[in-house]
Every structure is written in structure tokens, then in C-alpha cells.
Amino acid sequence: MKTMRKTILAALLFAGTTASLQAAQEKTDDDDKGTALLNKIAAEVIHDAKAEKISDKKEIVALFVKKMRAHEEDFRALAQEDCLRDFGKEKESQCHCVIEKRDYDTAFVLLEEKLMNRDINQDEAFADFEQKEEATYQACGLDFNVVKKAAAERK
């Protein structure tokens, strides 16, 4: 059971920094919502892992990522709030565009790869993902540098 808790904690720590893809370091209402969502997912994982007697790290990570995928709409809503916070309500349609075009599948795959410590060049994979994010923001008429600056200011 300790292994399961450690794995979930590691997943939460990683997911907490990437879940909305612009995780803030300061305490805000959005962070509280993100933390609440991750706590909810962790509780679901713990419940299901206990019920199914899962203790293998690989299976727990797979379950965690599966639960995160099941909550994709919640992550989308949080990301929309983040975007509106960074760009203002007058950019609502552009923010909606970013959220709709964002590659959540790749984000979840990267999360799973990171948690499983698979042999991928994670720096390169995350850099590629960030480039795709930047292209998405540009395609939707938003400046990705605003996101980067806002994230840096929250650190």
C-alpha cells in the first residue's frame, strides 16, 4: 500500500505542475480548483486500487492516467479559467480556441511516460509539446509569451 501511495503522490506532484499546462505556484482560486480536482482523482485511484487489489506501480500509473483522461473536461474548464486569467475575459473566444485545439492526448501520454520513467528523451518531448502549444496559441490569435510570463510571475 505504501508503494501505491508513493506512486500516487509522485503522480500528483507531476500532474500538479502540468495538469492545466500552466500550473501556478501562488495560491489562487484556480489553484484550489486544480488541487481539488487532483485530490478527487487521487481518491478515486486509491479507492479503485484498493477495490481491485492493485499494488503494481505500472498498473497504478495506468489507472491514474485513465482517471485523468476521464476528467478531461474538468481539465479543459480549468485551462479555460487559466487562459481568461492570463488574457482577460475579452479574449474568451480565443481561449476557447486554444482549449479545443490543445493536444490533451499527448499531454496524458507524456505524463504517463514521465511517471513510468520510460526511456524517452523527456526534455525533447516536453520541448516539442511546448512548441505545439505555442503554435496552438498563435493559431488562435494569442501570444504564448503572455502565458510564459504569467507563469514565471506566479513562481
Side-chain angles (χ1 to χ4, degrees):
M1 203 48 63
K2 281 187 178 182
T3 302
M4 178 176 63
R5 286 189 182 128
K6 285 181 184 178
T7 302
I8 291 170
L9 178 60
L12 284 172
L13 290 173
F14 179 75
T17 62
T18 61
S20 74
L21 307 172
Q22 282 91 40
Q25 295 297 317
E26 69 182 27
K27 187 155 176 76
T28 67
D29 289 341
D30 291 342
D31 293 333
D32 291 342
K33 291 176 186 176
T35 300
L37 177 57
L38 290 174
N39 287 340
K40 177 181 177 181
I41 292 169
E44 290 175 9
V45 170
I46 290 168
H47 176 268
D48 289 0
K50 283 181 181 178
E52 298 172 30
K53 294 183 170 69
I54 298 172
S55 61
D56 179 68
K57 177 184 177 183
K58 189 176 189 177
E59 291 179 49
I60 292 169
V61 168
L63 180 59
F64 182 77
V65 173
K66 179 181 175 183
K67 293 289 184 183
M68 288 188 71
R69 285 180 183 273
H71 287 278
E72 183 177 325
E73 288 305 314
D74 297 324
F75 285 110
R76 287 174 177 267
L78 289 172
Q80 178 79 9
E81 289 178 21
D82 287 349
C83 185
L84 292 174
R85 179 190 60 225
D86 294 342
F87 289 97
K89 293 191 186 294
E90 65 276 1
K91 300 287 185 177
E92 186 172 3
S93 65
Q94 290 92 337
C95 286
H96 180 74
C97 173
V98 168
I99 304 314
E100 290 305 309
K101 290 180 182 276
R102 178 169 283 148
D103 186 357
Y104 285 92
D105 285 334
T106 298
F108 290 128
V109 167
L110 286 174
L111 171 64
E112 187 169 14
E113 296 289 333
K114 174 80 172 172
L115 293 173
M116 292 304 299
N117 297 317
R118 292 198 179 125
D119 285 338
I120 63 166
N121 184 339
Q122 292 177 357
D123 290 339
E124 184 178 315
F126 282 99
D128 288 347
F129 183 77
E130 187 173 274
Q131 283 181 330
K132 289 177 185 175
E133 277 286 282
E134 185 170 3
T136 299
Y137 275 82
Q138 287 175 345
C140 293
L142 295 174
D143 183 357
F144 189 65
N145 291 320
V146 171
V147 174
K148 291 164 88 173
K149 182 180 176 187
E153 289 173 358
R154 288 189 293 266
K155 285 184 179 181

